[in-house]
Amino acid sequence: MHEKTVAELSRELESGKISSVELTRHFLDRLKQEDGQYNSFITITEEQALAEARAADERRAAGQATPWTGIPFAHKDIFCTSGVRTTCGSRMLEHFVPPYDATVVAKFRQAGAVCLGKTNMDEFAMGSSNESSHFGPVTNPWGLTRGERRVAGGSSGGSAAAIAARLVPAATATDTGGSIRQPAALCGVTGIKPTYGRVSRYGMIAYASSLDQGGAMARTAEDTALMLNVMAGFDPKDSTSIDREVPDYTATLNEPLKGLRIGLPREYFSDQLSPEMATRIREAVREYEKLGATVREVSLPNASLAIAAYYVIAPAEASANLSRFDGVRYGYRCDHPKDLMDLYTRTRAEGFGTEVKRRILIGTYALSHGYYDAYYLKAQKVRRLIQQDFVNAFQEVDVLMGPISPSPAFIQGEKTDDPVTMYLEDIFTIAVNLAGLPAMSVPAGFIDGLPVGLQIIGNYFEEGRLLNAAHQFQQVTDWHLREPR
Amino acid sequence: MQWDIVIGLEVHIQLATKSKIFSGSSTAFGAEPNTQASAVDLAMPGTLPVPNAEAFRYAVMFGLAVNAEIGRRSVFERKNYFYPDLPKGYQTTQLAQPIVGPGHIDIDLANGETKRVRIHHAHLEEDAGKSLHEDFHGMSGIDLNRAGTPLIEVVTEPDMNSAEEAVAFARKLHSIVTSLGICDGDLSQGSMRFDVNVSLKPKGSDTLGTRTETKNLNSFRFMEQAIRHEVERQMEILEEGGQVVQETRLYNGDRDESRSMRTKEEANDYRYFPCPDLLPVVIDDDFIDDVRASLPELPDARRARFQSQYGLNDYDSGQLAGDARLSAFFEDAVHQGKDAKLTANWILGEFSARLKAEEKTVAEAPVSATQLGQLVARIADNTLSSAGAKKVLEALWSGESSDVDAIIEAKGLKQVSDTGALEAMVDEVLASMPEQVAQYQAEDNPKKRKKMLGGFMGPLMKASKGQGNPKLFNEILIRKLGD
Amino acid sequence: MSISREDIEKVALLARIRVDDAQIPALEKDLGNILTLVGQLAAADTDNVEPMAHPLDAVQRLRPDEVTESNQREAFQAIAPATENGLYLVPKVIE
């Protein structure tokens, strides 16, 4: 049962072959048996899930089902879930039970989906390997097949690993600098980061507000399309949410790709890319040519500045976003504060992990007196240059393709000593966030038994075209169906 | 040495919107602690701000009222600092691109001249919560009901040169925002709070001295005292050859003392940057035209109208027009009482004195405009003497009765104005006082005659049981005694 | 690029994060490396380039002035570290 996609499970529920309660029990059993080795979940909500499954079965019996009614899935632990603790991977929120739902959570609830629990993540979504979680690292299921502890990628490593290990058919995720695409690539699953503003950020704990975007992860492009059909849309509670009609993303999955113009950014095939990775990506692009697409080289001349701009803008926004964690109204509070200053400095020193503190300090520095122009303002200007590169490229092509990560999943601990080495993991994904564009990661083969992801970047609000391109690729390849064994 | 005093003000004005600037919580004053603090106000993780349209409308009204440029594109920024009454750890405010640009307000000086005070800009921002310093086992209590109440902060140029001018500006500002209806103007509830920047420079010098900022003054009186206090403090330092330290000070009005605030190691560095949760607010011509068209009457225009429409003098019209509620009360009363000058006299006299004595606002007055109008009408038609009118007002005020005519009736305050009856009384009294009549007629000095005339008034009032119209008695007496 | 001990202490104070002496050398190294990375920005030619705060060139939508929230103090304070009489408690605030 756990081999099936969301689309397949939805049809089986509809036909009455299985009930949501059966399905939910099955996945809960697997989760409890298997997740010890991956650590992909922070919280499993067995009771709530079964209650939701029973309600879903009743709703289906009453003829009021949606495609999601009764489907088990999971939320990244960055989305606030009313009555269920929401940790954001941090000691700061280890016992935080929000009395409200994120808009994304409310939407899945309304659709009747069954949430099995909350997936592991880098603390406050700051990381590229899921090793900064207060609840321990997530282990990549593909590495384990070779007896190795490899990273699942981050920050949405829990969602990616859980899907790869068939513990859930789908999970929500978020992407600030590559946090959906990179773990999806490293775990061999499909992930989409929509256009900035497409999915509400309300109740999604902020890391860097102008870059954060909620999105979807599943095994197939079709399933992520089904997820976006639920998640996308205007939210009056989010000022940066875009009031624009949401298409049915499944309706265009089968459009032919003949004539699709693909651009390959020269800068994404530089020497930072391993030769094997370059080969896998070019092979994937060749499949598209077989499907009738045309390919040309394009240039994103400022791409090399993306990491630098990101590591000013994201920490700067984070330094303010994380000021609310002060031990006063909720969350961690240090023992016996002797005065107000002690309450603040000790609560935050003890409640935040190393990487989070590093980014808060860098962000504070970049905004502080005398440095604002050289760092923050400069980074915002470079951000526009980077966006302009994409605007120019999309004058000539429909989508851009390239790698997601420089190399496949690395061994845990390999890059934790040097933050900058870790930051360079996101060299191919970060520019998309700065520009606010939609992008996907699609399984595109293996290197030494470890999965590789193809990145497809689209123009603003062209999620439908991306999903179409990914779905057609998945009709002629089976990388996305391979299971770590 | 002679010194010039230089004063600039920063005024926080709470806007009278129903809901907060970034959330749908109520802004009503006086609720139980933290019952009007929503997830957004408490800065719960993942919550986001959505700005209130009315706050922008009010800010634009203010901008138009002070002849300012309206910021067509205004941007919210984050001002970062930690304080328990600031839940997000930053205040959402405006800095580089405020909603209201440079403008000005004209104030009347004591010498009859008018002075223009320039406004540097005014911006929208959110209020903080309150720290309650009562002792909770050595802890402070935090109430976040006020957190997120919309404010406009008005920043002036350093154009004022005395405490009186600063207070005149503050009163005029109060008069403008209450006339616009964008602020309830209740200083005792913190609806307007003043920060004063004071510096001294040698008389005639072009170079500004070092200034201090005295924060959070919440009455005109404290503001005036705080400025005087600060001027004296700085003068003493400078005259002893010392240097004024640029700092923020707190003034204690009860003790007329001030002290330095936050002088600790921390140099403020607010790390302002544009708030990424909010987009630029764009105000177009249509919006501005719409606001302009619906702008209520402003104090200066109202004052001019009171003079032309009601014939009030400069002083009375200024006193009334400066206070929007008092103006409305006046016009409602005139509608009943007809005699505008008499109405103005009673409102600015007896009525205001009673309010002041009881520390009440116009809204809290136990006597309505209609009642006051009826009272004035009864004075104007000679039913009431001014002494009788005071008695009626007292009865209205105490709640003894709410009907003017019923009070007059019950208390027997109606003046007798029947000339025939009054003449008969005069004849009777004059007949009983032949000596005084003879003395009066023999007297040449008009002053003395006038005084002697008063001697007949007592017996006349007694004869009329206090209800004779004194004016008419006077006329009849003069006629009968011969001039 | 390097960052001094004084800078780290100043920034840590602004950010209200206690940093012990033992942590300073590692922070000097890591933050210094990060600043070297972001120092690449200096080389970019950004004359006449407008800073970009948001990915989309959108304009703020405004909400009607309506009270939509009701009292949820009990639910919110159930997850608070310290409250009394409906107030959040903190070590004494001295102005």
Side-chain angles (χ1 to χ4, degrees):
Chain A
M1 232 186 296
H2 53 270
E3 294 296 328
K4 293 189 161 55
T5 66
V6 171
E8 289 163 350
L9 292 172
S10 187
R11 283 192 287 273
E12 300 214 343
L13 285 168
E14 181 61 27
S15 71
K17 261 176 145 171
I18 44 164
S19 71
S20 176
V21 170
E22 286 167 331
L23 199 54
T24 301
R25 283 226 165 86
H26 176 76
F27 276 105
L28 283 170
D29 287 346
R30 273 186 67 76
L31 250 179
K32 287 188 284 183
Q33 280 162 22
E34 304 275 323
D35 197 41
Q37 53 192 323
Y38 310 119
N39 194 30
S40 69
F41 272 63
I42 292 175
T43 305
I44 298 172
T45 51
E46 183 166 8
E47 273 178 44
Q48 288 101 321
L50 287 168
E52 285 171 11
R54 280 189 290 274
D57 285 335
E58 283 167 24
R59 179 168 167 180
R60 196 168 281 282
Q64 288 159 356
T66 76
W68 277 93
T69 305
I71 302 282
F73 80 115
H75 280 300
K76 182 178 180 179
D77 209 17
I78 198 169
F79 289 101
C80 287
T81 40
S82 183
V84 172
R85 83 167 170 156
T86 301
T87 69
C88 219
S90 182
R91 183 183 187 199
M92 190 61 91
L93 294 176
E94 186 165 4
H95 306 291
F96 175 66
V97 180
Y100 51 93
D101 273 337
T103 298
V104 163
V105 171
K107 282 173 173 260
F108 274 105
R109 231 186 257 287
Q110 280 153 19
V114 176
C115 179
L116 302 184
K118 310 293 291 289
T119 60
N120 203 346
M121 56 182 286
D122 277 302
E123 186 181 6
F124 284 102
M126 298 181 192
S128 310
S129 67
N130 221 307
E131 293 169 286
S132 75
S133 171
H134 173 65
F135 302 89
V138 177
T139 298
N140 191 318
W142 290 97
L144 275 184
T145 62
R146 310 162 20 140
E148 293 165 346
R149 293 212 157 264
R150 288 183 178 267
V151 302
S155 67
S156 312
S159 292
I163 294 164
R166 275 55 175 168
L167 304 182
V168 282
T172 56
T174 63
D175 192 316
T176 305
S179 282
I180 291 175
R181 291 160 288 157
Q182 187 253 18
L186 267 45
C187 290
V189 304
T190 304
I192 180 162
K193 170 216 150 349
T195 307
Y196 181 84
R198 183 80 283 195
V199 171
S200 168
R201 293 188 298 113
Y202 188 85
M204 191 179 104
I205 299 175
Y207 158 25
S209 311
S210 77
L211 303 164
D212 295 343
Q213 181 59 203
M217 258 191 217
R219 291 220 302 287
T220 65
E222 182 184 18
D223 284 0
T224 59
L226 285 166
M227 290 182 79
L228 272 203
N229 276 354
V230 175
M231 298 171 79
F234 172 66
D235 181 6
K237 290 195 225 170
D238 174 1
S239 292
T240 59
S241 149
I242 301 296
D243 194 356
R244 185 179 168 122
E245 209 181 327
V246 180
D248 175 356
Y249 292 111
T250 60
T252 45
L253 289 174
N254 289 311
E255 301 280 313
L257 295 189
K258 191 163 170 46
L260 180 76
R261 298 173 301 163
I262 297 171
L264 301 182
R266 190 181 305 142
E267 295 77 8
Y268 282 11
F269 293 86
S270 64
D271 34 345
Q272 270 141 324
L273 197 63
S274 73
E276 296 91 337
M277 186 66 82
T279 305
R280 289 297 98 78
I281 301 304
R282 290 194 190 281
E283 283 167 1
V285 171
R286 216 158 294 136
E287 289 295 333
Y288 276 99
E289 287 180 295
K290 285 190 220 161
L291 288 168
T294 61
V295 177
R296 76 172 74 171
E297 193 176 70
V298 295
S299 178
L300 302 171
N302 295 290
S304 65
L305 292 169
I307 292 251
Y310 177 89
Y311 277 99
V312 171
I313 292 168
E317 292 184 9
S319 72
N321 282 336
L322 271 63
S323 291
R324 64 188 61 198
F325 302 103
D326 58 5
V328 176
R329 297 165 311 286
Y330 49 78
Y332 180 78
R333 178 182 196 145
C334 67
D335 282 336
H336 311 299
K338 66 173 170 30
D339 56 29
L340 199 54
M341 185 61 97
D342 190 42
L343 169 72
Y344 286 144
T345 59
R346 216 144 45 79
T347 293
R348 291 165 61 77
E350 294 165 12
F352 291 137
T354 308
E355 181 59 24
V356 171
K357 285 189 271 194
R358 211 149 37 208
R359 293 196 195 186
I360 291 174
L361 293 176
I362 280 290
T364 304
Y365 182 80
L367 290 173
S368 66
H369 188 70
Y371 297 108
Y372 181 87
D373 287 1
Y375 289 112
Y376 189 75
L377 205 62
K378 185 79 178 179
Q380 281 202 325
K381 289 177 177 176
V382 168
R383 185 177 187 178
R384 190 169 297 282
L385 294 177
I386 289 166
Q387 182 202 37
Q388 200 54 48
D389 285 353
F390 282 109
V391 170
N392 295 340
F394 284 120
Q395 308 269 334
E396 296 173 31
V397 298
D398 301 315
V399 293
L400 298 170
M401 289 190 186
I404 292 283
S405 62
S407 55
F410 48 92
I411 301 282
Q412 287 174 6
E414 206 172 83
K415 301 189 179 186
T416 41
D417 284 349
D418 178 9
V420 169
T421 312
M422 187 72 86
Y423 296 171
L424 294 174
E425 260 302 292
D426 295 329
I427 193 158
F428 302 122
T429 51
I430 265 177
V432 160
N433 298 79
L434 291 169
L437 292 164
M440 287 191 78
S441 177
V442 184
F446 292 84
I447 296 173
D448 296 336
L450 296 170
V452 160
L454 167 73
Q455 180 164 220
I456 316 177
I457 304 167
N459 209 340
Y460 294 106
F461 299 103
E462 299 227 321
E463 289 81 3
R465 193 196 287 269
L466 293 183
L467 290 161
N468 169 222
H471 181 70
Q472 290 306 305
F473 183 75
Q474 292 181 341
Q475 302 309 298
V476 296
T477 59
D478 69 349
W479 308 118
H480 60 293
L481 300 176
R482 304 284 181 91
E483 192 182 349
R485 273 194 221 270
Chain B
M1 194 161 187
Q2 294 275 75
W3 302 94
D4 281 336
I5 302 166
V6 178
I7 300 168
L9 297 180
E10 289 165 27
V11 188
H12 291 90
I13 300 168
Q14 279 187 345
L15 297 180
T17 54
K18 293 196 276 293
S19 65
K20 292 188 178 176
I21 186 165
F22 297 123
S23 82
S25 301
S26 169
T27 55
F29 181 83
E32 283 292 300
N34 292 308
T35 55
Q36 289 173 180
S38 68
V40 172
D41 309 322
L42 294 170
M44 288 279 169
T47 59
L48 295 169
V50 184
N52 184 338
E54 198 72 350
F56 275 87
R57 188 176 182 83
Y58 285 2
V60 171
M61 285 171 78
F62 176 77
L64 295 175
V66 299
N67 314 293
E69 294 163 26
I70 302 301
R72 299 308 177 103
R73 188 181 174 88
S74 59
V75 173
F76 282 111
E77 306 211 18
R78 292 180 177 179
K79 178 183 182 181
N80 294 284
Y81 65 96
F82 284 86
Y83 208 68
D85 64 13
L86 189 71
K88 295 190 291 293
Y90 56 83
Q91 182 192 30
T92 308
T93 179
Q94 299 180 321
L95 182 73
Q97 291 169 270
I99 180 69
V100 176
H104 60 83
I105 290 177
D106 292 335
I107 56 171
D108 293 332
L109 303 182
N111 63 9
E113 283 175 22
T114 299
K115 176 165 186 170
R116 177 154 292 185
V117 175
R118 291 168 302 156
I119 291 179
H120 180 270
H121 77 274
H123 61 258
L124 272 168
E125 62 183 24
E126 57 185 339
D127 209 343
K130 282 181 185 166
S131 304
L132 304 176
H133 304 293
E134 296 104 81
D135 201 17
F136 295 95
H137 344 285
M139 312 276 271
S140 289
I142 308 296
D143 174 10
L144 296 169
N145 281 349
R146 198 180 69 178
T149 297
L151 298 176
I152 45 176
E153 180 175 341
V154 181
V155 180
T156 76
E157 298 287 356
D159 285 353
M160 288 150 283
N161 301 104
S162 68
E164 291 79 5
E165 286 182 16
V167 170
F169 176 86
R171 285 189 185 278
K172 187 68 176 277
L173 190 62
H174 181 270
S175 155
I176 290 171
V177 297
T178 52
S179 295
L180 290 171
I182 64 173
C183 173
D184 68 15
D186 194 336
L187 271 62
S188 67
Q189 292 179 0
S191 296
M192 279 178 85
R193 308 189 302 265
F194 305 92
D195 300 344
V196 295
N197 292 298
V198 176
S199 66
L200 299 186
K201 60 182 174 67
K203 200 160 190 66
S205 163
D206 290 335
T207 320
L208 287 174
T210 305
R211 66 186 164 85
T212 62
E213 182 179 24
T214 305
K215 268 190 151 14
N216 247 331
L217 302 160
N218 60 3
S219 78
F220 299 129
R221 188 164 59 89
F222 281 166
M223 187 176 129
E224 184 164 3
Q225 286 173 7
I227 293 172
R228 288 189 200 287
H229 175 92
E230 184 57 20
V231 166
E232 274 174 38
R233 195 187 68 87
Q234 289 188 18
M235 212 178 280
E236 266 176 44
I237 293 173
L238 294 171
E239 301 210 326
E240 284 168 19
Q243 300 253 316
V244 173
V245 179
Q246 182 163 352
E247 62 183 355
T248 302
R249 301 186 65 84
L250 271 186
Y251 175 74
N252 182 331
D254 297 326
R255 284 191 268 170
D256 193 31
E257 286 173 0
S258 71
R259 64 177 168 83
S260 182
M261 211 179 145
R262 293 179 200 161
T263 48
K264 277 190 272 177
E265 75 272 52
E266 181 188 358
N268 281 334
D269 183 345
Y270 291 124
R271 292 157 282 135
Y272 282 95
F273 75 106
C275 178
D277 286 329
L278 294 163
L279 301 169
V281 176
V282 172
I283 303 280
D284 60 19
D285 287 343
D286 285 351
F287 184 85
I288 294 173
D289 290 345
D290 181 47
V291 173
R292 199 191 304 274
S294 61
L295 218 52
E297 188 176 38
L298 288 165
D300 287 348
R302 188 161 50 221
R303 181 178 193 174
R305 181 169 64 81
F306 281 3
Q307 293 180 18
S308 62
Q309 183 178 345
Y310 299 114
L312 298 187
N313 65 25
D314 195 47
Y315 180 80
D316 287 356
S317 60
Q319 289 292 302
L320 286 171
D323 186 326
R325 292 217 183 102
L326 203 60
S327 292
F329 190 93
F330 164 73
E331 297 209 78
D332 285 348
V334 170
H335 189 70
Q336 288 287 331
K338 311 296 180 204
D339 188 326
K341 284 185 190 172
L342 198 56
T343 307
N345 284 344
W346 274 82
I347 289 176
L348 294 173
E350 200 69 18
F351 178 76
S352 291
R354 280 177 178 270
L355 285 181
K356 201 173 174 192
E358 296 182 18
E359 294 183 342
K360 284 194 161 93
T361 65
V362 180
E364 294 163 337
V367 173
S368 71
T370 308
Q371 291 171 326
L372 194 89
Q374 285 164 348
L375 179 69
V376 171
R378 290 293 169 261
I379 304 166
D381 70 7
N382 282 327
T383 306
L384 281 174
S385 65
S386 94
K390 282 184 188 169
K391 287 181 186 152
V392 175
L393 185 64
E394 170 59 34
L396 289 170
W397 200 275
S398 65
E400 198 179 312
S401 172
S402 61
D403 186 86
V404 170
D405 288 337
I407 298 168
I408 296 171
E409 186 65 37
K411 294 194 179 289
L413 296 171
K414 190 173 157 68
Q415 292 188 120
V416 176
S417 298
D418 170 353
T419 331
L422 294 179
E423 269 190 50
M425 284 181 222
V426 171
D427 288 341
E428 207 173 303
V429 166
L430 291 183
S432 70
M433 300 170 80
E435 267 178 50
Q436 287 88 334
V437 171
Q439 279 172 10
Y440 177 89
Q441 285 163 340
E443 182 58 56
D444 284 335
N445 185 335
K447 272 190 181 174
K448 286 190 178 169
R449 280 170 77 111
K450 201 174 176 187
K451 202 177 167 194
M452 292 164 81
L453 206 59
F456 300 108
M457 211 49 107
L460 278 172
M461 291 314 283
K462 199 174 173 188
S464 69
K465 300 192 180 99
Q467 291 172 14
N469 182 334
K471 219 168 111 201
L472 289 178
F473 270 142
N474 214 40
E475 285 169 20
I476 298 166
L477 271 174
I478 291 167
R479 180 154 45 81
K480 299 247 176 209
L481 291 168
D483 225 352
Chain C
M1 211 171 293
S2 66
I3 180 166
S4 67
R5 181 191 188 93
E6 291 69 36
D7 279 342
I8 291 172
E9 284 170 349
K10 188 190 114 194
V11 166
L13 178 65
L14 281 173
R16 295 292 187 273
I17 293 174
R18 198 177 77 177
V19 171
D20 296 330
D21 281 354
Q23 298 170 294
I24 297 267
L27 280 172
E28 277 176 334
K29 176 172 145 278
D30 291 340
L31 300 184
N33 287 344
I34 297 168
L35 289 174
T36 302
L37 174 76
V38 304
Q40 294 169 8
L41 290 174
D45 178 4
T46 53
D47 289 351
N48 304 316
V49 178
E50 273 293 297
M52 174 173 156
H54 283 283
L56 304 172
D57 194 20
V59 161
Q60 181 66 47
R61 187 173 33 81
L62 302 174
R63 166 180 67 81
D65 181 26
E66 286 160 10
V67 175
T68 54
E69 297 289 336
S70 53
N71 175 20
Q72 288 191 69
R73 185 172 81 181
E74 206 176 322
F76 291 137
Q77 296 203 340
I79 55 171
T83 60
E84 191 171 311
N85 298 336
L87 298 162
Y88 293 97
L89 294 190
V90 297
K92 203 139 195 68
V93 175
I94 302 153
E95 280 193 330

